[in-house]
Amino acid sequence: MLNEDKIRLMTKITMFEGKERRKIECANRYFLWDYTVRGLLRAFFGYTACFALLFGVWGLYNVEQIFNNFTLDTVFAIGGRAVWVYVVGLVCYLLIALVVAIARHQSAQRALVQYLGKLKHLEKRYGPKEQAKTAGKGGRSA
Amino acid sequence: MMAFLLVKERLRLFYSKFYLLVRFLAKFALAFACMYALTHAVGYMQRIKGWPVILGVSAVCALLPYSGAAILLGGVMLAHLQAVSLDVCALMGVFLFAVAVLYYGFSPGDCYLLLLSPLLCALKVPYLLPLIVGMGTNLAGIIPIACGAVVYHMLVYVKASAGVWADMGDMDILERFVQTLGEMLSDRMMFVMVAVLAVGALATFLIKKLSVDYAWVLALAGGLMAQLVALFVGQLQFDIPMDIAQVAVGMLVCALLACVAWLFLFSVDYSRTEYTQFEDDGYYYYVKAVPKIAVSMPDVQVRRLNPGKSGGKAVADAKPAKSGAPVMPGQQRKDAAGTSAGTGQPGGRAVRTGMSGAAGRPGGVAAGDGAQVARQGLEPGGGAARSVVPSAAGRPGGVAAGDGAQAARQGREPGRGAAQVGAPGKTGRSGQASGKVTSIADRQDRAQRRGGASDGRGDL
């Protein structure tokens, strides 16, 4: 005979799993520190690539001006300014990435706790021990 | 209002039934609209301009997640741009790459906003998206909307300049690149539009957060007004030529669409707001609970009653009948006979009416009269009576229509049938009536045989 309560509980867990799987995954697979470092590394490389591309576009746009005043001092001045912009932008972007990674991991952890709670509930009500107990009494499992 | 809610409910049911198909079709429609607009605006590559390609790409996009669809459509756009100018293609490529890496690294779920934004800009209703973003999703949605607006203005620029580029074919590519980028960056309208969209989303978001009644309606109106003001300020500041009539029509359309979106997505009933207050060890809590408006679908079924089969008493078919009026949250719906129907008052005597009417005031009497309806159906020798008339009941203290006891008296007269009425009805709050009068005499007789007392209410 079908145990409707159990089916309902398991369906709820499966739905939760399906809905929050991606969210839970990061808490399931990584510790907070690892996940944050991973996010920061991704942000660093992404930002660096974008900065390089945008700097290239800017260089092309101002290529005439640069070559007209091409001296070592000009190159150093442009380089210094570019590094300054790069560092400031990178720090801001990494801060955002840090906040997002921490918030996401914490939210995933909360979801994971919820998920584990549901599983525990299932185990408690319908686990092997409970089943054995019910079977020992000679009662029905439903 | 109620019609909208019923349509919403119907759509919800339809979606829950065919959600895979609906999602596929919605994605297909979005991708098709984007492809069509793209081809119409910058369709310079002949190979991918035809209908088969447009339909094929749309179908593939419909199968992909939104991020995949955005990448595919971005590729198609770059291919078209490459056909007309390599430097513009490179610029657009760098821009899209930067957006993809810097923003979509964080929230890839917002890609549909990046697709919708240029599309709505092309339809001259770009003011709608900030309202939706401000009302619903997180505020970071401003970024894809703004990026979409930039893409749209770049495409407009390309469309306007393609003829000129064809004329200066012998120009050095670097020179053309500098000229193109300079002209793109000098497009003030693009920056003004980005600012307008950001201001609109921010204003909507902030007003929505206020703890006042009708905050969401105010947020929509405030968001639209903020966008209008920002647009005029930008126009005055940068002296941008603007078609006022077009802006006005766009705003009006946005207001209408926003109202529809509000009704479909965010409808709540402020008149049933409840306040509560409690405390724990650390805090006092002041809670304001605003119920969402929800209706259940009217589902009218008529029970056919055949008189004369059991000593002149009414005999009902076995087919169960559902009562049919929409029910607000917090209200009960029970079988009408002898129990309260939609009033939320235990033991209420509401017996359903089907008569039209609108008891719209506090203390008003809900539409119709169960007894009257019962009488209609209880003519000597009569069979089943049916009355399906919309009713609009509903304010606090409203009296539910009909009287179970009265109806019971009618139903007990020998040789008469019984009436059942199910009506799709408008309901406001308590005071709504819903249900049917059915086989009253039968049941009361049965109850008496069992030895129980019948008052024409509880045993029905």
Side-chain angles (χ1 to χ4, degrees):
Chain A
M1 192 172 169
L2 291 177
N3 184 342
E4 277 188 30
D5 268 355
K6 191 176 176 183
I7 291 170
R8 204 170 293 147
L9 195 59
M10 287 174 75
T11 310
K12 265 187 191 173
I13 291 172
T14 313
M15 280 170 70
F16 185 82
E17 211 176 51
K19 225 162 128 184
E20 310 274 341
R21 192 179 3 159
R22 273 196 178 176
K23 202 175 160 186
I24 291 172
E25 210 175 53
C26 71
N28 212 7
R29 289 176 59 184
Y30 303 99
F31 289 114
L32 176 64
W33 173 249
D34 293 343
Y35 185 70
T36 311
V37 169
R38 179 175 167 270
L40 289 179
L41 277 175
R42 274 176 63 174
F44 171 76
F45 286 117
Y47 178 81
T48 306
C50 287
F51 183 83
L53 278 172
L54 291 174
F55 186 68
V57 169
W58 178 85
L60 283 175
Y61 185 60
N62 293 297
V63 68
E64 207 174 309
Q65 206 180 337
I66 291 168
F67 279 112
N68 284 342
N69 308 315
F70 191 78
T71 59
L72 210 56
D73 288 344
T74 320
V75 172
F76 277 125
I78 291 171
R81 207 183 299 165
V83 168
W84 173 244
V85 170
Y86 172 73
V87 170
V88 170
L90 183 64
V91 168
C92 292
Y93 190 65
L94 288 183
L95 274 178
I96 294 170
L98 182 74
V99 170
V100 170
I102 289 175
R104 204 169 273 179
H105 193 273
Q106 283 177 346
S107 152
Q109 256 177 343
R110 279 196 294 271
L112 190 64
V113 167
Q114 237 177 324
Y115 177 61
L116 290 177
K118 283 177 194 289
L119 285 181
K120 205 178 271 180
H121 180 60
L122 183 73
E123 169 78 16
K124 216 173 172 180
R125 276 186 73 173
Y126 303 107
K129 274 185 192 172
E130 190 63 28
Q131 275 184 354
K133 212 189 286 178
T134 321
K137 281 178 187 169
R140 290 184 303 178
S141 62
Chain B
M1 175 78 173
M2 190 54 69
F4 268 115
L5 292 174
L6 287 175
V7 170
K8 174 185 165 184
E9 187 61 18
R10 276 200 188 102
L11 287 177
R12 196 185 63 75
L13 289 176
F14 183 79
Y15 179 75
S16 62
K17 212 169 174 184
F18 305 104
Y19 72 97
L20 276 177
L21 182 69
V22 171
R23 287 179 76 165
F24 176 82
L25 288 179
K27 271 189 187 177
F28 180 82
L30 177 62
F32 178 77
C34 288
M35 272 299 286
Y36 180 77
L38 199 62
T39 311
H40 186 68
V42 289
Y44 295 112
M45 186 176 255
Q46 293 300 326
R47 282 183 198 168
I48 55 172
K49 206 182 166 185
W51 281 107
V53 177
I54 293 176
L55 290 171
V57 171
S58 306
V60 172
C61 286
L63 296 172
L64 294 173
Y66 280 112
S67 49
I71 290 171
L72 188 56
L73 289 172
V76 171
M77 181 172 67
L78 290 180
H80 279 305
L81 292 180
Q82 175 269 331
V84 68
S85 165
L86 199 62
D87 43 320
V88 173
C89 173
L91 269 178
M92 187 66 96
V94 168
F95 177 73
L96 290 180
F97 178 79
V99 172
V101 170
L102 295 183
Y103 179 68
Y104 285 108
F106 290 134
S107 65
D110 285 351
C111 277
Y112 68 96
L113 290 174
L114 189 65
L115 296 177
L116 268 177
S117 179
L119 193 64
L120 291 182
C121 282
L123 293 172
K124 308 296 176 200
V125 282
Y127 317 104
L128 180 66
L129 269 187
L131 302 181
I132 305 258
V133 165
M135 295 291 288
T137 59
N138 58 355
L139 212 52
I142 291 174
I143 296 171
I145 291 177
C147 292
V150 170
V151 168
Y152 168 74
H153 280 89
M154 284 170 90
L155 292 180
V156 167
Y157 170 75
V158 170
K159 190 180 180 184
S161 311
V164 182
W165 291 335
D167 290 343
M168 49 185 203
D170 55 343
M171 193 188 255
D172 182 21
I173 189 165
L174 192 62
E175 210 175 317
R176 208 168 66 178
F177 174 79
V178 172
Q179 192 182 341
T180 306
L181 187 57
E183 283 178 12
M184 277 185 181
L185 291 177
S186 65
D187 184 2
R188 297 284 169 83
M189 189 60 200
M190 180 172 79
F191 295 108
V192 168
M193 192 47 79
V194 168
V196 164
L197 298 178
V199 165
L202 203 61
T204 311
F205 183 76
L206 291 177
I207 298 173
K208 189 196 84 174
K209 290 274 176 195
L210 295 178
S211 177
V212 293
D213 282 1
Y214 301 99
W216 289 7
V217 182
L218 292 177
L220 289 175
L224 268 181
M225 288 306 293
Q227 289 186 76
L228 198 61
V229 169
L231 200 61
F232 282 126
V233 167
Q235 193 232 348
L236 291 174
Q237 184 70 29
F238 298 110
D239 199 20
I240 301 165
M242 196 181 292
D243 187 352
I244 300 292
Q246 194 184 66
V247 171
V249 170
M251 287 277 177
L252 268 178
V253 172
C254 282
L256 279 176
L257 292 176
C259 284
V260 172
W262 171 70
L263 281 172
F264 274 91
L265 303 174
F266 314 110
S267 51
V268 291
D269 186 359
Y270 282 103
S271 55
R272 289 194 294 126
T273 303
E274 288 182 36
Y275 298 89
T276 183
Q277 184 181 337
F278 53 93
E279 63 177 284
D280 64 6
D281 293 342
Y283 295 94
Y284 281 101
Y285 299 90
Y286 298 91
V287 180
K288 176 184 180 182
V290 186
K292 288 181 179 175
I293 298 176
V295 291
S296 61
M297 288 295 294
D299 184 11
V300 181
Q301 289 190 17
V302 176
R303 187 183 291 182
R304 213 161 258 295
L305 302 161
N306 304 316
K309 279 189 182 175
S310 60
K313 288 172 191 159
V315 176
D317 282 350
K319 189 179 174 185
K322 295 174 188 172
S323 90
V327 173
M328 309 297 288
Q331 292 178 329
Q332 296 176 348
R333 189 215 306 261
K334 296 178 181 176
D335 279 351
T339 57
S340 68
T343 60
Q345 297 163 2
R349 297 187 301 165
V351 174
R352 175 55 185 144
T353 159
M355 306 298 283
S356 66
R361 294 170 297 282
V365 178
D369 180 351
Q372 197 185 341
V373 177
R375 276 195 297 277
Q376 286 171 3
L378 293 171
E379 290 301 315
R386 178 185 183 185
S387 172
V388 181
V389 188
S391 70
R395 288 290 184 272
V399 178
D403 182 336
Q406 241 181 312
R409 278 195 296 277
Q410 298 289 333
R412 285 175 77 174
E413 288 176 27
R416 299 199 170 178
Q420 179 262 320
V421 180
K426 289 181 181 179
T427 62
R429 291 165 299 189
S430 56
Q432 172 221 11
S434 160
K436 55 197 175 279
V437 181
T438 178
S439 305
I440 295 159
D442 231 13
R443 295 183 186 202
Q444 284 196 335
D445 285 349
R446 237 182 285 150
Q448 279 171 357
R449 274 201 296 278
R450 280 202 306 269
S454 168
D455 60 356
R457 296 194 306 188
D459 57 345
L460 292 176

